[in-house]
Amino acid sequence: MEVLESLKKGLEAGVSDNELARKFFLSYQTLVFKDRQDIEYNIKDAIKKQLNVPFVSVQVTGSSKTGVSFFKKTKFTEGQSDLDVSIISLDLYNRFLEEVHRITNGFTDLSVFPEFYGKPTDKQFINNLKKGFINPFFMPDCEEKSKWLDFFRELSNDYFRLFKDINGAIYSSEYFFECKQAECIEEFKGNMKAYDSLPSKI
């Protein structure tokens, strides 16, 4: 894959993980939208309007962006892979965090967090906060969460031929976004040979 070759060259040149994350996730073209630019615009514009955020706040990550999942070591597969979207907006982040703070009485009542696969989601939610992002899926039940899940469910249905699901997360800043994507670069560094069997192009 061209992206993997470019990433290898960057690592060999000593480029930092955060700079590579900025380059590939904030500057490079989203590979799945290479010949579908109208679809990319329509999805991002729908998210912008629904969440009332700047258009440039909506960024794509995961295998849709690069053509490969760095954690699963699999290439993007149309109709089977997800579209992962990150919204970089401190205002939106604070709005959702304040809602959770209110519901949990300042995080003193963690019993309101739902269970996922039999385990409460409070630890996952708080761990995400430490990394500067919120995944509303792990929030306690509330109107903000319901609206979020309903919107992304409808968006997923609109584009089911291209993506299995469309999911979203909220980042408090570009810095935290870069740090999270740098984890993908770190994962790639430790398992470069695992990608040798992937097709050369998506």
Side-chain angles (χ1 to χ4, degrees):
M1 286 183 179
E2 295 177 4
V3 169
L4 299 185
E5 290 304 315
S6 182
L7 183 52
K8 287 178 182 178
K9 289 179 181 178
L11 291 170
E12 290 169 358
V15 181
S16 70
D17 292 353
N18 274 59
E19 186 172 347
L20 288 172
R22 186 183 316 131
K23 179 179 181 180
F24 285 97
F25 292 99
L26 289 175
S27 179
Y28 270 31
Q29 181 183 28
T30 300
L31 288 189
V32 74
F33 293 131
K34 185 176 180 180
D35 300 312
R36 303 178 173 102
Q37 295 181 44
D38 283 347
I39 293 178
E40 178 178 20
Y41 171 79
N42 290 337
I43 291 174
K44 288 184 175 180
D45 194 53
I47 294 171
K48 166 204 161 39
K49 291 174 179 175
Q50 173 69 20
L51 301 178
N52 192 28
V53 295
F55 187 87
V56 295
S57 297
V58 185
Q59 299 290 335
V60 175
T61 60
S63 62
S64 297
K65 182 70 179 186
T66 61
V68 61
S69 170
F70 291 108
F71 288 96
K72 297 179 182 178
K73 285 101 179 154
T74 55
K75 70 181 184 68
F76 175 86
T77 303
E78 189 170 316
Q80 298 180 30
S81 299
D82 292 344
L83 175 66
D84 296 318
V85 178
S86 297
I87 297 91
I88 306 172
S89 168
L90 181 58
D91 287 344
L92 189 66
Y93 177 90
N94 283 339
R95 193 173 92 201
F96 276 69
L97 180 56
E98 287 170 7
E99 183 69 3
V100 176
H101 189 273
R102 182 187 65 78
I103 295 171
T104 61
N105 192 25
F107 289 92
T108 60
D109 180 12
L110 301 182
S111 67
V112 295
F113 280 91
E115 290 190 352
F116 183 59
Y117 284 109
K119 296 182 179 180
T121 58
D122 58 299
K123 289 184 174 61
Q124 182 65 57
F125 184 85
I126 293 171
N127 284 337
N128 291 347
L129 284 185
K130 293 176 182 178
K131 296 182 178 182
F133 77 97
I134 290 173
N135 182 345
F137 178 82
F138 296 114
M139 287 173 59
D141 292 335
C142 60
E143 186 177 359
E144 293 282 11
K145 176 181 178 178
S146 295
K147 286 181 178 179
W148 177 280
L149 295 179
D150 288 345
F151 168 72
F152 278 98
R153 189 179 301 113
E154 291 174 6
L155 198 61
S156 298
N157 291 338
D158 289 340
Y159 297 95
F160 72 94
R161 289 186 177 85
L162 190 54
F163 307 108
K164 180 180 178 182
D165 287 301
I166 300 178
N167 306 301
I170 308 165
Y171 284 80
S172 60
S173 69
E174 187 176 293
Y175 168 82
F176 283 113
F177 174 82
E178 285 183 11
C179 288
K180 180 60 178 174
Q181 305 318 312
E183 293 180 7
C184 298
I185 309 299
E186 185 67 29
E187 182 69 18
F188 175 78
K189 280 197 300 187
N191 298 277
M192 279 195 262
K193 291 185 178 179
Y195 301 89
D196 292 342
S197 60
L198 293 177
S200 59
K201 293 184 179 180
I202 57 173

